Every structure is written in structure tokens, then in C-alpha cells.
Amino acid sequence: MSKLFDNTQIAFALKNDNELNRAYYLFKLISSNTLVKIGTAATQVALKLHLPVERIIRATVFDHFCGGISEQDCLPVVDQLYDKKVHSVLDYSVEGKEDEAHFDDALAMTLKIISFAKERQALPFAVFKPTGFGRIDLYEKVGAKEKLSAAEQAEWARVESRFDLVCKAAHEAAIVVLIDAEESWMQDAADDLVAAMMEKYNKEKAVVFNTLQLYRWDRLDYLKKLHSSAQEKGFYIGMKLVRGAYMEKENLRAQEGNYPTPICESKEATDLNYNEALRYMLDHLDSMAVFVGTHNEESSYLVMTILAEKNISAADTRVWFGQLYGMSDNISYNLGAAGYQVAKYLPFGPVREVMPYLIRRAEENTSVAGQTSRELLLIQTERNRRKNK
């Protein structure tokens, strides 16, 4: 088991030599913080000036990290992944819109994806971000128990309605809906809303999944309290476990606001917190289902070890592994080949509209110690293997 993720032949079986070389040079670029800053700034300027750069973007970074411009456009990639026993999570990755028309558009797209997915075994999930359905400032106000104006009450009722429409559609279509976590200051309201959806739609099994960001030191306690509530009220918990994506923003806001940071004191503390949450959920699979969202090999091996110790099948649908498309292929495809339940998050959307997501992805890769160097090592290993075979 300890060498499973070192198999680059399986990891990169879907990439031809040109695609493998493209991946190598992309991660080389991403490994340099200076080049990422220059590249993203130049791209943003080019798009604002309507320069003809979309075709170049599509042929490079977009095609590496995204499935296509529409759900239909993603199907060839979805089918390729499924042939390798890897499922897909279609993720409409248009970000940064904050008005009712765009919230309604996001709702319509999520419902469309659920309808699209229910006809395809390769697509067992739908996903959305809470701020895709409502303003972050409104979530913050609701979470802080501040008094809402009449207009804000009506606005929040629309947010609740959007959540309910999606969760109801997912329940009826037998599709799991993964609801992302975001900034800590808006998360309390989102957590309460998702818990209400779990209570309503997770009576027979986990259909609605929340997300725990385990770089927050309070999240394991939250999970245990939710578990107690679920046992009392008779519903199943679905939870995606991730480490988190807003660390710098969280620490800066805490410093400026003169309050304790919600982030663990170190990477090691985050890793311990993540693995403890994994153990807790795997100890309670009678009432929980877990989506292990990680690019961390040690955490992935830990799950595999615990499942083996408990004599739980790799194919058990209460335990899923998930990685982002274009990253950690050594984990995803080797897990799929070994019979585990695994899915790739497959972002899609118009090239211009998806650029904020792609820029964030490049910046996150640059800041994650070891991630990019590991990708480069694996790609180079496979390039050498192909040359020498």
C-alpha cells in the first residue's frame, strides 16, 4: 500500500506525451510565485482589453484544470475518467457575482446539473457554494444573529428557498449534493442552513453534505455536536473534509479585527485535526458518510488503513475520495484502479468567467508547500519512464 501513489503509469495513463509536457511546464510556472503574479496580472489585463487570448488560455491552463465550457462539453472528459474508474463532480466555477439575477442563474445551473447527472453513473454528485446563492454580508449578519430589515428577511428567505430547491431535487434524483465551506465569518449561517437540509433530506441516508475546513481548530467539536443532534433527531450526516483554502485571509482579518484566529497554529496541527476528523467519521459510518477531499497522500493512506482494519470494502459508498481535476492524478487514478470510490472535481464554464477560479488555483498551488514539487517529480518520473521503456 505504501507505494500505491508512486505508480505514474496509472496516474498519467490518460495523458499523451504532449499533454504530459504541458502539465510539466504549467507546474514549473506555478512553482514560481513571481511568475504566477506576472502571468495572472498580464492575463487579467489582456481579458479587460478584449485581446484574443482566450484560445491560448483554453489550450493551456484551462484545458489542464477544467473540463470544458459547458456540462455537455465536459462529457468526453467525464467518460475518459469513468473508463479509469474515476467519477466526476461537475463544478460550475463562475465566481464573484453578488446580485439576485446571478444567484438565480447559479440555482438554475445547479438544478440543471442535477438533472444532467441523474442519467449518468459517472456523475453521482452536484455541488454549489453558499455565496453562489446569496450575499456573504447577509450570511454574516444572519450568523451573528443581527436584526434583519424586512428587505433582508425576504432576501434570506430566497437563500433558504434556493438551498431547499437544490436539496429536494438531489434527494428525488438520488444525487448527492456537496455544499462548499467558505470564510469563517459567514459559515455559522451556512452551517445552520445545511444542518436543516440534512434533517429534512437525510432521513434514509446522507444526500446533503456540508464541508468542514479542518484548518479551523473548532471544526471537530462542531462535528461532534452535529452528530449528537443528528442522533437525537434521526438523520444521517454527510460531510466533505478538506483542510481549507482561505488561511491568509482568515489570519489577516483576525489580526485586523483583534480577535483570535480560527486557524490552527501550524500545518502539523491542521494535519492532526484533519486526521482526527477522519477517524471520528470512519468510527461512525453507521450514521455518517464522508467525502475525503484531500491531495495529501498520508491522509489518503490513513483512510485506506482504517478501512482495512475495520474490514470495510474499498467500494463502500459511504466513503469517497476526491481531488481536483489536473492535480494529484497519482492519488485519484491509483485509488480508482485499486477499487476505491473516487471522484475528480471537474470545473467548467466560459473561459473568461472561469479565470478568477484559475487564478485562485494557481495562487493556492504556489502557496502550498510541497504540492507543486510533488507534481513535478511525478510528471518527470513518468516522462523518464516513457523515454526508457
Side-chain angles (χ1 to χ4, degrees):
M1 184 186 291
S2 62
K3 297 294 183 182
L4 180 71
F5 299 145
D6 292 343
N7 189 324
T8 60
Q9 184 174 2
I10 290 176
F12 299 112
L14 289 178
K15 283 184 166 49
N16 60 36
D17 290 349
N18 288 335
E19 290 167 336
L20 194 65
N21 288 334
R22 179 185 67 188
Y24 179 79
Y25 291 113
L26 276 174
F27 281 109
K28 269 291 210 184
L29 172 66
I30 290 170
S31 68
S32 167
N33 188 46
T34 300
L35 289 178
V36 167
K37 288 182 178 179
I38 293 171
T40 55
T43 300
Q44 289 172 321
V45 169
L47 289 171
K48 283 182 180 179
L49 295 176
H50 298 283
L51 299 178
V53 296
E54 289 190 30
R55 184 175 295 179
I56 297 172
I57 295 169
R58 176 79 198 255
T60 53
V61 63
F62 183 94
D63 277 355
H64 182 83
F65 290 111
C66 299
I69 60 173
S70 68
E71 67 277 10
Q72 196 71 39
D73 193 33
C74 290
L75 278 182
V77 176
V78 170
D79 291 341
Q80 282 184 332
L81 298 185
Y82 197 54
D83 283 343
K84 298 298 181 183
K85 301 180 181 178
V86 175
H87 298 74
S88 296
V89 185
L90 291 182
D91 184 8
Y92 186 60
S93 297
V94 174
E95 302 179 348
K97 309 293 185 180
E98 278 215 336
D99 59 72
E100 291 296 304
H102 282 102
F103 298 149
D104 286 339
D105 286 346
L107 168 64
M109 177 57 75
T110 308
L111 293 172
K112 185 179 180 182
I113 290 170
I114 291 171
S115 179
F116 187 75
K118 72 178 181 181
E119 307 297 333
R120 296 170 172 85
Q121 288 186 327
L123 298 171
F125 301 99
V127 60
F128 70 89
K129 293 178 66 170
T131 53
F133 286 1
R135 292 185 299 112
I136 189 171
D137 290 347
L138 183 62
Y139 282 99
E140 183 179 4
K141 198 167 184 178
V142 171
K145 312 296 184 187
E146 294 181 21
K147 185 175 181 179
L148 302 183
S149 67
E152 288 170 332
Q153 290 175 26
E155 187 181 358
W156 183 246
R158 290 193 294 274
V159 174
E160 293 176 315
S161 176
R162 292 181 186 112
F163 270 71
D164 190 68
L165 284 168
V166 166
C167 294
K168 180 181 179 182
H171 181 265
E172 292 174 349
I175 295 291
V176 170
V177 59
L178 304 168
I179 302 171
D180 287 341
E182 302 184 69
E183 291 88 345
S184 62
W185 54 92
M186 61 77 62
Q187 195 60 45
D188 285 351
D191 285 343
D192 290 346
L193 191 44
V194 178
M197 295 297 103
M198 286 188 193
E199 183 178 351
K200 187 172 183 179
Y201 294 109
N202 286 7
K203 292 295 187 183
E204 297 87 22
K205 63 178 182 178
V207 174
V208 178
F209 277 55
N210 201 356
T211 300
L212 288 186
Q213 298 184 104
L214 274 310
Y215 67 178
R216 285 183 55 178
W217 49 262
D218 65 339
R219 292 293 81 188
L220 183 54
D221 285 341
Y222 170 78
L223 175 61
K224 291 177 179 179
K225 289 176 183 176
L226 180 64
H227 188 205
S228 177
S229 175
Q231 290 177 311
E232 290 176 10
K233 298 176 180 178
F235 65 89
Y236 290 82
I237 290 175
M239 200 66 73
K240 180 176 69 170
L241 303 184
V242 301
R243 278 171 168 78
Y246 303 93
M247 183 171 67
E248 293 179 4
K249 184 189 293 187
E250 292 280 1
N251 284 331
L252 179 61
R253 190 176 191 270
Q255 184 179 7
E256 292 176 345
N258 197 30
Y259 62 85
T261 178
I263 305 301
C264 291
E265 62 182 3
S266 66
K267 172 68 163 58
E268 292 73 22
T270 294
D271 290 340
L272 287 171
N273 204 33
Y274 189 92
N275 290 342
E276 281 304 304
L278 278 178
R279 290 188 180 94
Y280 186 85
M281 294 200 72
L282 294 172
D283 282 342
H284 296 93
L285 285 180
D286 58 327
S287 56
M288 296 184 179
V290 58
F291 188 101
V292 185
T294 186
H295 296 164
N296 185 286
E297 294 179 16
E298 290 185 10
S299 293
S300 300
Y301 282 132
L302 175 63
V303 176
M304 296 162 69
T305 299
I306 293 173
L307 292 181
E309 290 172 349
K310 293 178 176 293
N311 293 315
I312 297 172
S313 168
D316 195 306
T317 55
R318 296 172 299 177
V319 182
W320 282 82
F321 294 83
Q323 291 79 42
L324 296 169
Y325 183 66
M327 293 176 61
S328 299
D329 289 346
N330 66 311
I331 297 178
S332 306
Y333 295 108
N334 282 301
L335 283 172
Y340 291 89
Q341 300 284 3
V342 60
K344 281 286 200 186
Y345 260 63
L346 197 58
F348 75 95
V351 175
R352 183 177 294 273
E353 298 294 321
V354 173
M355 281 312 301
Y357 165 84
L358 291 173
I359 290 170
R360 183 163 59 84
R361 180 64 54 237
E363 291 171 344
E364 286 173 7
N365 270 277
T366 303
S367 65
V368 176
Q371 177 67 45
T372 302
S373 59
R374 176 62 169 155
E375 297 280 359
L376 283 168
L377 174 62
L378 290 162
I379 293 168
Q380 189 58 56
T381 299
E382 177 59 12
R383 292 168 88 195
N384 292 337
R385 187 195 69 81
R386 293 183 185 186
K387 287 177 184 178
N388 298 326
K389 69 179 181 179

